[in-house]
Amino acid sequence: MRTIAIINQKGGCGKTTTAINLAACLARLGHKTLLADMDPQGHCATGLAVPDERVQRTLFDCLTAEPESPVAVSEVVWQIAENFDLAPSNLKLAGFEQLFAGKLGRERRLENVLATVDDRYEWCILDCPPGVGLLTFNALVACDEAIIPVETGYFSLHGLARMLETLEELKDRLGKETTIRVLPTLFDTRTKLAREVLAELRGRFSDVLMRSCVNFNAKLKEAASFGQPITEYDPGSKGYKDFVDLARELMGQSPLAMAMGEGESLSRPAELVRRARQLSQFSAKTFGKPAARIPGSGVGESDMSLEACGVTYASGQARFVASFAGARSVAVAGDFNDWNSHDGRMTYDAEAETWTGEFPIAAGRYRYRYVVDGRWTNDPANREIEQNDFGEFNNVLHVPATTHLPSPKHPTARQDLPSLAAA
């Protein structure tokens, strides 16, 4: 059984919506799935129209039962649909931490419970409470993978750093290896802020950011209000497509194992924490208050790692400079090279910690994207984007007929000149 914890210390980022609809889509695709609610608020039962008055036993009973008188998971689950079972919770679960405070093995209670149904289900989705406590640690110990839903808004970037710090603490305390994934949620293509946040996430977390993205969709809220997963409420909606894509991504790709040993520094939570803190500081300066910008680049001058990034053009050559921390390969693909990433491979400048590439390009308007370790990624230094036929976004580059800009290695020399991204 593959166990995934949906976790974030910040509330309102779509954890329960993600847990319910991901579980429903996995079941819809033919996989026997258990949704276990680790949140004392019990919103999974509410969102699936399970009446409170009829819930006699919950996950709390399984977690608190002693070995001599166990409570089987089958005694508490509700069948929601074919292949889809729910282990509900209620406010009684809030007393779990106090009940087991100081007791040996308290972090492994959920792991022991799920071990009894390991051969019954293919997937287990854990909906975790907002905040870090014994319930959250139980979920992290029991899971193989942790998905961190990150709302594409300003405050969510701070929550991401704190969540990664929790995973680092778990590694230190228990030596637990966990696959880490970041899932953009509540993405509203109409807002400039959401597009900027998503671009920053793609630029700094390309190795753990999921290709799937949960867009803001009114049908998801309507489905919850009617007590139905999106698979039942409106399988023709954009929300349904987003969660089916998420389920298929999890089914189809082998997990990006987040090795927490000394040999894999770029995969360790400590490295992700460092990136998250940088992103949090950058967001505070960029979104929290007016900040000086490199004209046209969309990047705050105080962010030294991205200061020289962007696209410049001279003598028929376009020079692309990008910063993708921890990337093993970077290429640029667009209209100017027939979207062939092989012809757009870039080289790494270790001193500047940037990827660079120069390519012949004529005057005109071009769409492009970066390909970072095989994954399509937007250019964080270019705010001009347009939606493509796949529902994702391409960056847009304008090359005037006569343009001679200096190299981005000399940012002071170009302060009075616009970058091509804003031309």
Side-chain angles (χ1 to χ4, degrees):
M1 181 175 69
R2 191 167 159 188
T3 304
I4 299 177
I6 311 298
I7 181 169
N8 196 326
Q9 292 173 243
K10 181 181 179 298
C13 60
K15 287 191 301 293
T16 300
T17 298
T18 298
I20 289 175
N21 292 297
L22 173 58
C25 285
L26 288 168
R28 182 72 170 260
L29 293 171
H31 296 262
K32 187 70 173 176
T33 304
L34 172 67
L35 172 59
D37 192 353
M38 290 293 288
D39 188 345
Q41 297 177 91
H43 286 168
C44 285
T46 303
L48 292 169
V50 175
D52 291 341
E53 65 276 7
R54 295 186 58 189
V55 176
Q56 301 299 321
R57 286 188 148 185
T58 68
L59 193 58
F60 174 80
D61 298 286
C62 297
L63 292 170
T64 57
E66 296 303 327
E68 58 272 15
S69 56
V71 176
V73 174
S74 59
E75 298 180 45
V76 306
V77 297
W78 285 67
Q79 183 176 13
I80 303 301
E82 185 179 3
N83 295 321
F84 183 12
D85 290 349
L86 167 68
S89 73
N90 56 26
L91 284 175
K92 288 172 62 178
L93 190 59
F96 176 79
E97 186 161 353
Q98 183 177 2
L99 186 64
F100 285 90
K103 291 189 177 181
L104 188 65
R106 59 190 180 278
E107 297 99 343
R108 298 190 178 275
R109 303 291 294 195
L110 178 62
E111 182 183 42
N112 296 334
V113 168
L114 295 181
T116 64
V117 293
D118 186 68
D119 58 350
R120 180 176 175 182
Y121 297 97
E122 296 173 71
W123 295 82
C124 177
I125 307 300
L126 306 174
D127 183 30
C128 300
V132 176
L134 187 55
L135 291 172
T136 299
F137 270 91
N138 264 264
L140 289 172
V141 170
C143 74
D144 307 302
E145 306 161 49
I147 292 181
I148 307 174
V150 177
E151 178 191 0
T152 48
Y154 166 60
F155 292 107
S156 62
L157 302 181
H158 297 273
L160 176 60
R162 290 195 297 271
M163 192 66 255
L164 291 169
E165 287 171 351
T166 299
L167 292 170
E168 172 71 359
E169 180 184 348
L170 179 68
K171 185 210 79 169
D172 292 339
R173 287 178 55 180
L174 302 173
K176 170 69 177 177
E177 295 186 3
T178 305
T179 298
I180 302 171
R181 304 176 191 274
V182 176
L183 174 68
T185 60
L186 301 176
F187 178 59
D188 189 345
T189 60
R190 300 168 297 179
T191 67
K192 181 180 178 182
L193 176 61
R195 296 195 299 268
E196 290 174 349
V197 170
L198 184 58
E200 288 299 318
L201 286 171
R202 285 175 171 165
R204 296 176 187 253
F205 292 93
S206 59
D207 51 344
V208 296
L209 191 71
M210 303 197 72
R211 293 192 300 270
S212 304
C213 177
V214 179
N215 292 271
F216 178 83
N217 185 259
K219 294 294 183 181
L220 293 172
K221 289 189 174 182
E222 292 174 13
S225 68
F226 280 93
Q228 293 180 310
I230 195 64
T231 52
E232 303 295 330
Y233 182 75
D234 190 350
S237 67
K238 174 65 174 173
Y240 173 81
K241 179 183 180 300
D242 288 344
F243 279 106
V244 166
D245 288 346
L246 174 60
R248 285 176 174 159
E249 180 177 352
L250 289 168
M251 291 164 52
Q253 77 175 40
S254 59
L256 297 171
M258 294 291 98
M260 298 189 185
E262 292 297 323
E264 299 289 338
S265 60
L266 292 179
S267 295
R268 293 170 57 203
E271 166 62 18
L272 299 180
V273 169
R274 183 187 67 80
R275 293 189 222 165
R277 285 173 176 167
Q278 288 181 342
L279 179 56
S280 180
Q281 292 168 0
F282 172 72
S283 67
K285 294 172 182 176
T286 305
F287 307 133
K289 62 181 180 180
R293 310 291 181 93
I294 296 173
S297 71
V299 178
E301 288 184 340
S302 58
D303 189 353
M304 299 303 293
S305 65
L306 291 178
E307 189 170 90
C309 295
V311 187
T312 56
Y313 180 80
S315 303
Q317 294 281 326
R319 179 181 175 86
F320 291 80
V321 180
S323 176
F324 292 104
R328 295 178 294 277
S329 67
V330 176
V332 61
D335 295 327
F336 49 84
N337 62 3
D338 294 326
W339 293 93
N340 187 337
S341 60
H342 181 78
D343 293 339
R345 288 178 294 183
M346 302 171 70
T347 58
Y348 184 63
D349 184 337
E351 182 179 352
E353 296 185 347
T354 56
W355 292 83
T356 62
E358 293 188 9
F359 311 98
I361 185 169
R365 181 183 186 273
Y366 301 93
R367 297 164 299 173
Y368 73 97
R369 296 181 77 181
Y370 286 113
V371 183
V372 181
D373 294 335
R375 300 176 66 180
W376 292 93
T377 303
N378 286 111
D379 182 355
N382 183 355
R383 291 188 179 185
E384 185 171 355
I385 59 173
E386 67 177 25
Q387 194 164 15
N388 59 31
D389 294 337
F390 302 99
E392 297 181 329
F393 292 89
N394 298 323
N395 290 105
V396 178
L397 173 67
H398 299 275
V399 180
T402 56
T403 303
H404 298 283
L405 296 183
S407 165
K409 279 190 175 290
H410 305 286
T412 55
R414 63 170 184 164
Q415 286 181 351
D416 297 326
L417 297 172
S419 76
L420 296 181

